[in-house]
Amino acid sequence: MSKIIPFKAVRPTPDKIGLVTCRNYDDYSSAELAAWLSFNPYSFLHVIHPAYMHSQKITLDKRFKGVAHKYQDFKEDGVFMEEEKPVFFLYEIKTKTQSFTGIVAGTSIDDYKNNIIKKHEDTLQYRVEYFKDYLHQTGFNTEPVLITYPDNEVLNNWIFEKKKSVPIYNYSTTNKEKHQLWKIETDEEINWLSKQFENIPELYIADGHHRSASAEMLYDEDKHLGNENLNYFMSFLIAESQVKIYEFNRIIRDLNGYSKEDFLEKLSEHFIIKDKEQELWKPQSKFEFGMYLDGSFYALFYKQQSTIENILENLDAQILYDKVLQPLLGIEDLRNDERIEYIPGKQSIATIKELVDEGEFEVGFMLYPSDISEIKALADNGLIMPPKSTYIEPKFRSGLMVYEL
């Protein structure tokens, strides 16, 4: 049984919504960040990245306090408003090619602890502690955890009908996305929606493992304070069919001492190799890998497809690590080895070609994206994907919704 709750969200006033919300600040180049901060005084980037020009010269403690102060300034200036009562929201994101609709709600720390909310990625302790300290110092979170639930015809029909009503937000962004938000505020709707999720036995984290782990750590440290908001964390819940999963491709700086010929010979022990020359080739199905090396693309077909149902060993990202990255290229630590970098699969593979051709990297590997069934199977069995196995959409806009602690 899954538990979701409405919450008293803080959100931008309707006249400023298009100016306030932003992408995650890590998505901005230095030039973009400077431009937004210079020319848009309402951008939430001013809150999450205070003292921008001097951010490297202040302590984390001072930076987090600066975030809290700037957030209060936005509230006092009337940029934000607070709901009068706890509510749910229905949120839709439309891109050029995709449409995502989900429910914004509070999800239970107890469900997370009891594995009703299931995980498939490992976390880094320092990142969990960093974000826990951020939450503690700032007193708010604006980045919900992306959680999936099994497709449900009753919920789908309700969402379809709800979207016929007038949204409280309807705006577009400079990256050509359209956003709409509906408020779910009547007692009848809130109770009905809560009961629908009580009938769902398990939920799965798609994106936001560090955020959920940080919320749990903060709860464990501060639960004695009696703050009910710590018992939950903000989540964006969408049906499994709504999730778009991309791969993360890999680029490597060197061949670990191998010549091209010797490296191809070693690869042939586990893969059938076809030279695609200048064709921008990418994998078409599971157990296929693309490679760009020395001006040519190659198709790699894995020979030893396991007939045994070993979920992790059959994962393409794990196969690449077990057969190529670790034994041949000497990459042990996928998170911290400076010889490897990652390119989201939604970027063109021409990007990999350009980076290798420029000479900083020697070889690139393209993977076939995992699907939701693989992610769920790993989570159900308590298994963890290799780092940077998936790039998942949708991405929530910062500043759209604030969950205060």
Side-chain angles (χ1 to χ4, degrees):
M1 185 175 83
S2 306
K3 183 176 182 180
I4 65 170
I5 63 158
F7 65 100
K8 291 181 70 173
V10 176
R11 55 186 177 83
T13 55
D15 63 309
K16 298 182 180 69
I17 179 66
L19 295 169
V20 173
T21 67
C22 60
R23 309 193 308 272
N24 184 291
Y25 80 82
D26 287 334
D27 290 345
Y28 293 87
S29 67
S30 297
E32 281 184 297
L33 194 58
W36 279 106
L37 291 169
S38 295
F39 298 109
N40 182 3
Y42 294 114
S43 174
F44 199 69
L45 290 167
H46 286 285
V47 176
I48 58 179
H49 208 67
Y52 167 64
M53 297 306 291
H54 309 286
S55 60
Q56 303 303 317
K57 300 178 183 178
I58 60 176
T59 64
L60 283 178
D61 184 62
K62 286 184 178 179
R63 183 181 176 196
F64 293 161
K65 286 179 179 176
V67 171
H69 290 152
K70 194 65 179 177
Y71 173 60
Q72 291 303 319
D73 288 345
F74 268 46
K75 289 179 70 176
E76 290 171 8
D77 290 344
V79 178
F80 283 108
M81 55 181 284
E82 184 175 1
E83 295 295 337
E84 295 180 356
K85 57 172 279 190
V87 297
F88 292 124
F89 295 93
L90 186 67
Y91 177 41
E92 180 185 68
I93 306 168
K94 282 187 177 179
T95 69
K96 289 180 180 179
T97 57
Q98 303 287 329
S99 177
F100 308 97
T101 305
I103 296 153
V104 186
T107 46
S108 167
I109 290 287
D110 282 341
D111 283 357
Y112 179 80
K113 286 178 172 290
N114 295 324
N115 210 34
I116 292 170
I117 299 174
K118 296 194 171 187
K119 305 164 277 291
H120 70 269
E121 284 186 8
D122 208 352
T123 54
L124 295 171
Q125 187 66 15
Y126 81 90
R127 285 189 61 193
V128 173
E129 292 181 359
Y130 174 91
F131 196 57
K132 180 267 299 180
D133 291 341
Y134 173 90
L135 295 174
H136 180 78
Q137 294 273 18
T138 63
F140 73 86
N141 178 33
T142 186
E143 296 183 14
V145 176
L146 182 64
I147 290 181
T148 69
Y149 59 85
D151 277 71
N152 179 309
E153 187 176 355
V154 173
L155 271 174
N156 288 346
N157 290 336
W158 176 82
I159 288 171
F160 178 79
E161 292 299 322
K162 184 68 180 178
K163 285 164 64 174
K164 292 179 180 178
S165 62
V166 178
I168 59 173
Y169 293 149
N170 185 357
Y171 70 103
S172 297
T173 56
T174 53
N175 61 342
K176 299 182 179 179
E177 292 179 350
K178 182 178 180 182
H179 300 259
Q180 295 188 91
L181 188 76
W182 294 263
K183 185 158 61 171
I184 304 161
E185 58 183 332
T186 68
D187 291 342
E188 181 182 4
E189 282 183 308
I190 287 172
N191 291 333
W192 181 86
L193 191 55
S194 299
K195 283 184 169 54
Q196 294 305 306
F197 276 86
E198 287 177 4
N199 296 325
I200 298 174
E202 297 159 334
L203 301 173
Y204 293 83
I205 296 176
D207 192 23
H209 287 79
H210 285 90
R211 279 165 268 161
S212 52
S214 300
E216 178 190 31
M217 182 179 286
L218 183 66
Y219 167 82
D220 289 340
E221 289 188 5
D222 290 353
K223 60 185 175 183
H224 64 280
L225 299 176
N227 181 354
E228 284 293 316
N229 287 353
L230 294 177
N231 297 342
Y232 302 88
F233 54 90
M234 183 169 63
S235 293
F236 184 33
L237 301 116
I238 66 175
E240 291 172 3
S241 62
Q242 289 272 298
V243 177
K244 177 63 178 176
I245 304 173
Y246 297 91
E247 73 281 10
F248 262 109
N249 296 314
R250 283 93 162 99
I251 48 177
I252 319 296
R253 297 186 190 279
D254 60 69
L255 292 182
N256 198 29
Y258 285 104
S259 66
K260 171 187 170 181
E261 292 72 24
D262 289 343
F263 185 62
L264 288 171
E265 184 178 345
K266 283 289 186 181
L267 284 177
S268 67
E269 294 176 12
H270 297 290
F271 302 92
I272 298 169
I273 303 173
K274 293 187 178 179
D275 190 345
K276 295 290 184 177
E277 298 178 346
Q278 296 304 304
E279 180 187 346
L280 291 171
W281 190 87
K282 63 188 299 184
Q284 306 300 305
S285 64
K286 188 172 171 55
F287 298 120
E288 296 180 7
F289 302 84
M291 181 176 72
Y292 184 69
L293 173 66
D294 192 29
S296 293
F297 283 91
Y298 296 86
L300 309 179
F301 302 94
Y302 187 49
K303 294 178 180 178
Q304 297 145 314
Q305 299 178 20
S306 176
T307 55
I308 302 171
E309 193 59 36
N310 189 315
I311 304 160
L312 186 58
E313 287 185 9
N314 281 339
L315 195 70
D316 283 0
Q318 189 68 41
I319 291 168
L320 186 67
Y321 176 76
D322 288 341
K323 305 303 181 185
V324 181
L325 300 182
Q326 193 269 342
L328 301 184
L329 298 179
I331 295 173
E332 301 281 350
D333 187 344
L334 291 172
R335 289 189 186 275
N336 300 310
D337 196 314
E338 294 182 354
R339 294 170 57 229
I340 184 170
E341 290 193 13
Y342 301 89
I343 308 293
K346 66 180 299 183
Q347 291 189 29
S348 169
I349 59 173
T351 303
I352 294 173
K353 180 181 186 302
E354 290 169 9
L355 289 168
V356 172
D357 287 347
E358 287 170 0
E360 185 179 353
F361 298 89
E362 196 156 350
V363 62
F365 294 98
M366 289 72 78
L367 286 79
Y368 188 75
S370 296
D371 60 32
I372 193 66
S373 62
E374 283 186 309
I375 290 174
K376 288 178 64 177
L378 287 162
D380 288 340
N381 288 275
L383 299 171
I384 300 299
M385 278 185 158
K388 298 289 187 182
S389 291
T390 56
Y391 178 89
I392 296 179
E393 289 186 337
K395 300 296 185 186
F396 205 86
R397 297 282 290 182
S398 284
L400 174 69
M401 199 81 59
V402 180
Y403 182 89
E404 291 191 342
L405 300 169

